[in-house]
Amino acid sequence: MTMNDREIAAANALNEKLTDAETSPGFAVAFDPEEAEQAGAFEEDALSVTDALESSIDWAGRSA
């Protein structure tokens, strides 16, 4: 699979941002959501809807 010019430009921009973030203390680098995901900034660990509903049932039978 080859990268098109847009993908190459996006990868280069991401690499530049990551370099700036690593080498410029105190420099705030803005990442869009796709760039942040590609950089591994986020790991989704939220409850699924099913898990959330199941956990709310645990409290239904309790009295205060």
Side-chain angles (χ1 to χ4, degrees):
M1 177 197 299
T2 61
M3 294 174 63
N4 65 35
D5 290 342
R6 179 174 286 180
E7 292 170 329
I8 292 170
N12 288 338
L14 179 57
N15 284 332
E16 287 181 28
K17 288 181 177 186
L18 290 170
T19 299
D20 288 343
E22 291 177 350
T23 60
S24 304
F27 182 71
V29 180
F31 292 91
D32 67 33
E34 185 176 325
E35 291 173 329
E37 184 175 334
Q38 289 176 353
F42 301 107
E43 180 180 329
E44 182 59 59
D45 61 353
L47 290 175
S48 69
V49 172
T50 303
D51 290 340
L53 290 173
E54 287 176 358
S55 70
S56 67
I57 293 170
D58 294 343
W59 290 94
R62 293 184 180 212
S63 58

